[in-house]
Amino acid sequence: MILAYDGAGFTGSQRQANSRTVQGELENALHKIGWTGTSVLMAGRTDRGVHAAGQVAAFDFEEWAHPAERLLRALNAKLPADLAVRKIQPVHADFHARFDALSRSYRYRLFCEPIRDPLRERFAWRLLGARPDSDALKQNAEVFLGTHDFAAFGSPTSEMGTTTRTVTRSEWKRKPDSEWQFEVRADAFLYRMVRRLVFVQVAVAQGRCSVKDIQLALKGQGILIAGLAPAHGLSLIDVEYGSLKR
Amino acid sequence: MILAYDGAGFTGSQRQANSRTVQGELENALHKIGWTGTSVLMAGRTDRGVHAAGQVAAFDFEEWAHPAERLLRALNAKLPADLAVRKIQPVHADFHARFDALSRSYRYRLFCEPIRDPLRERFAWRLLGARPDSDALKQNAEVFLGTHDFAAFGSPTSEMGTTTRTVTRSEWKRKPDSEWQFEVRADAFLYRMVRRLVFVQVAVAQGRCSVKDIQLALKGQGILIAGLAPAHGLSLIDVEYGSLKR
């Protein structure tokens, strides 16, 4: 199933004791409609405050004797307002939401405004300091394309895990109302990697460091400016699979 | 001053005992920076859940010895995340935020989607039922232009108050992603009037009643379909004044 959520009210995607999480709310709703499983598997882990329009979750539900379309409606009737199932389809029993995913796509929204804007800041970072140079954003984004060791841009997702990732899309778009959006796709991401990619690119576009520093960091050299873009500008927008085994 | 707020967390614009209101939060913040007044006056009353990008509030603040620009920053530092001052300027002592306003402008956002969408529904009504006819929305909106008795479209704002209003703009715009926006401007509005205008126009565009019913209702005849569009699709976007007396 494809999930969308407003991340503001969740501690993150993965179940945690005593916290409101996407997985926890989803499992609660499933239990209410007769599911007897114990755990739903999600394709991408999103941090506290991160949104999703295209998160993928998979689970067994042999108890369900009706069409998938009815499961979507039944679940949405039980889920809270900030979490919804957007699409649902049966897959083969050996489908694995995480390991079968070929890539993940994220979008990061930011805007420049000297004054707070409560109607936009739920889903976008209001950038302080110098206005970023649009050309710098657009040109420098290409530096991440390809296979690199991203150790300077995030933490491995498992102990002893590799920090090498392959980025297949890295692009800034200029939007109306002083907004910029970063779209990035990779086979997988390190923890906090997108927020770090955004922060570092903005630092370059504001003249606080240089694209040379990024190039060196991708070779494991030099020291890169510290910092993370805030979670609330980030959305997981898609998880891509090959042909789905049904 | 011009205020913007995300209405989801407020009981409405006007102060009420034991409720979180825009006026209450604004007055609290003003008190924290040395204001000794008792009441701020707001140009338009917005209901529980209604947003604003251009609400106007006025107050005396003789204690403030610094430039207006510093007041904006000081206030925004004290206000909660869902409420911000967007602009501030001194006006003449006899300026009245409500009586001096020549008109108010509202925007209503709605979209058609069979499935819940947590990333859009905070600021837009997800319309159920038939997809509205775009041409019907655009053409019928003109029926409200001019001076009419809007008694069938809202309640007077004071006891014995008139229900005659002059609408100077009434227009639907088609937006991407199955979205429509209604923009309306009038000298003043009755309680719930914009939400009622939207509901009735959508009913016509879905074929549930006819524009004739609206025309009759504007003449005080017939019975118009009951109902209100939900508050969370509505934003007060502007309050227009003549040349501001400084």
Side-chain angles (χ1 to χ4, degrees):
Chain A
M1 59 168 64
I2 295 175
L3 297 177
Y5 45 87
D6 174 343
F10 294 103
T11 312
S13 58
Q14 307 305 110
R15 189 172 49 194
Q16 295 168 48
N18 306 318
S19 286
R20 185 171 185 269
T21 64
V22 175
Q23 186 181 1
E25 292 292 327
L26 180 58
E27 290 169 356
N28 286 347
L30 277 165
H31 284 137
K32 286 181 191 162
I33 57 170
W35 183 64
T36 59
T38 53
S39 195
V40 156
L41 187 71
M42 292 165 74
R45 176 182 147 149
T46 59
D47 284 339
R48 174 196 289 262
V50 173
H51 316 286
Q55 173 72 279
V56 171
F59 53 98
D60 294 318
F61 196 175
E62 286 170 22
E63 302 88 341
W64 189 259
H66 314 288
E69 173 62 25
R70 266 181 73 183
L71 179 55
L72 184 147
R73 287 203 306 272
L75 258 180
N76 276 335
K78 300 295 181 192
L79 286 168
D82 52 358
L83 171 60
V85 180
R86 302 280 300 156
K87 196 177 165 188
I88 197 160
Q89 73 172 86
V91 286
H92 194 278
D94 67 3
F95 171 79
H96 194 288
R98 201 160 69 223
F99 301 146
D100 287 350
L102 301 178
S103 59
R104 285 91 175 156
S105 297
Y106 283 87
R107 178 181 295 136
Y108 197 97
R109 290 177 56 191
L110 61 84
F111 68 104
C112 273
E113 265 270 346
I115 300 168
R116 291 206 288 111
D117 184 345
L119 299 180
R120 300 175 71 186
E121 288 181 66
R122 193 177 186 88
F123 299 110
W125 179 25
R126 183 170 68 86
L127 190 61
L128 302 178
R131 197 177 183 78
D133 181 301
S134 251
D135 293 337
L137 285 179
K138 287 187 182 175
Q139 287 156 24
N140 297 336
E142 295 178 10
V143 76
F144 300 113
L145 290 173
T147 302
H148 304 279
D149 183 345
F150 285 94
F153 298 88
S155 319
T157 50
S158 63
E159 242 182 295
M160 312 288 291
T162 171
T163 48
T164 297
R165 296 290 186 273
T166 300
V167 173
T168 49
R169 181 174 190 199
S170 175
E171 195 180 338
W172 284 90
K173 290 182 178 168
R174 187 79 169 82
K175 296 281 170 177
D177 299 322
S178 300
E179 182 167 323
W180 285 267
Q181 291 181 2
F182 179 56
E183 300 206 346
V184 62
R185 183 179 60 217
D187 54 346
F189 288 88
L190 301 174
Y191 281 154
R192 311 253 161 108
M193 178 168 154
V194 184
R195 293 164 60 192
R196 182 110 175 89
L197 292 179
V198 168
F199 185 88
V200 170
Q201 291 178 88
V202 166
V204 172
Q206 288 182 323
R208 293 185 286 125
C209 63
S210 89
V211 68
K212 267 273 171 240
D213 298 331
I214 297 180
Q215 287 162 335
L216 286 172
L218 287 170
K219 291 178 191 155
Q221 296 162 13
I223 292 176
L224 196 58
I225 187 170
L228 275 184
H232 64 266
L234 183 61
S235 296
L236 171 59
I237 54 172
D238 204 7
V239 182
E240 296 87 12
Y241 297 88
S243 58
L244 279 185
K245 290 163 276 180
R246 295 182 69 126
Chain B
M1 59 168 65
I2 295 175
L3 296 177
Y5 45 88
D6 175 343
F10 295 104
T11 311
S13 58
Q14 306 305 111
R15 188 172 51 197
Q16 296 168 48
N18 306 320
S19 287
R20 185 171 186 268
T21 64
V22 175
Q23 186 182 0
E25 292 292 327
L26 180 58
E27 290 169 356
N28 285 347
L30 277 165
H31 284 137
K32 285 181 191 162
I33 57 169
W35 184 64
T36 59
T38 53
S39 196
V40 156
L41 188 70
M42 291 165 74
R45 177 182 144 148
T46 59
D47 283 341
R48 174 197 289 261
V50 174
H51 315 286
Q55 174 71 281
V56 172
F59 53 97
D60 293 318
F61 197 174
E62 285 171 22
E63 302 88 342
W64 189 259
H66 314 288
E69 173 62 26
R70 267 183 71 184
L71 179 55
L72 184 148
R73 287 204 306 270
L75 258 179
N76 276 334
K78 300 296 181 191
L79 286 169
D82 53 357
L83 171 59
V85 180
R86 302 281 300 158
K87 196 177 166 190
I88 197 160
Q89 72 174 86
V91 286
H92 194 277
D94 66 4
F95 171 79
H96 194 289
R98 199 160 72 224
F99 300 146
D100 286 351
L102 301 178
S103 60
R104 284 91 176 157
S105 295
Y106 283 86
R107 177 180 297 137
Y108 196 96
R109 291 177 55 190
L110 60 86
F111 68 104
C112 273
E113 264 270 346
I115 300 169
R116 293 206 288 110
D117 185 345
L119 299 180
R120 299 175 72 186
E121 289 182 65
R122 192 176 186 88
F123 299 110
W125 179 24
R126 183 169 69 86
L127 191 60
L128 302 177
R131 198 177 180 79
D133 181 300
S134 252
D135 293 337
L137 285 178
K138 287 188 181 175
Q139 286 155 23
N140 296 336
E142 295 179 8
V143 75
F144 300 114
L145 290 173
T147 302
H148 303 279
D149 183 344
F150 285 93
F153 298 87
S155 319
T157 49
S158 63
E159 243 181 294
M160 311 288 290
T162 171
T163 49
T164 296
R165 297 290 187 271
T166 300
V167 172
T168 48
R169 181 175 190 196
S170 175
E171 194 179 340
W172 283 90
K173 289 183 179 167
R174 187 80 168 80
K175 296 282 171 178
D177 300 322
S178 299
E179 181 167 325
W180 285 266
Q181 291 181 2
F182 178 56
E183 300 205 346
V184 62
R185 182 179 61 218
D187 54 345
F189 288 88
L190 302 173
Y191 281 154
R192 311 253 161 111
M193 178 168 155
V194 183
R195 292 164 60 192
R196 183 110 176 89
L197 293 180
V198 168
F199 185 88
V200 170
Q201 291 177 89
V202 166
V204 172
Q206 288 182 322
R208 293 185 286 125
C209 63
S210 87
V211 67
K212 267 274 173 239
D213 298 331
I214 297 180
Q215 287 163 333
L216 285 172
L218 288 170
K219 291 177 189 156
Q221 295 162 15
I223 292 176
L224 197 57
I225 187 169
L228 275 185
H232 64 267
L234 183 61
S235 297
L236 171 59
I237 54 172
D238 204 8
V239 182
E240 295 88 13
Y241 297 88
S243 57
L244 278 185
K245 290 162 278 181
R246 294 183 69 125

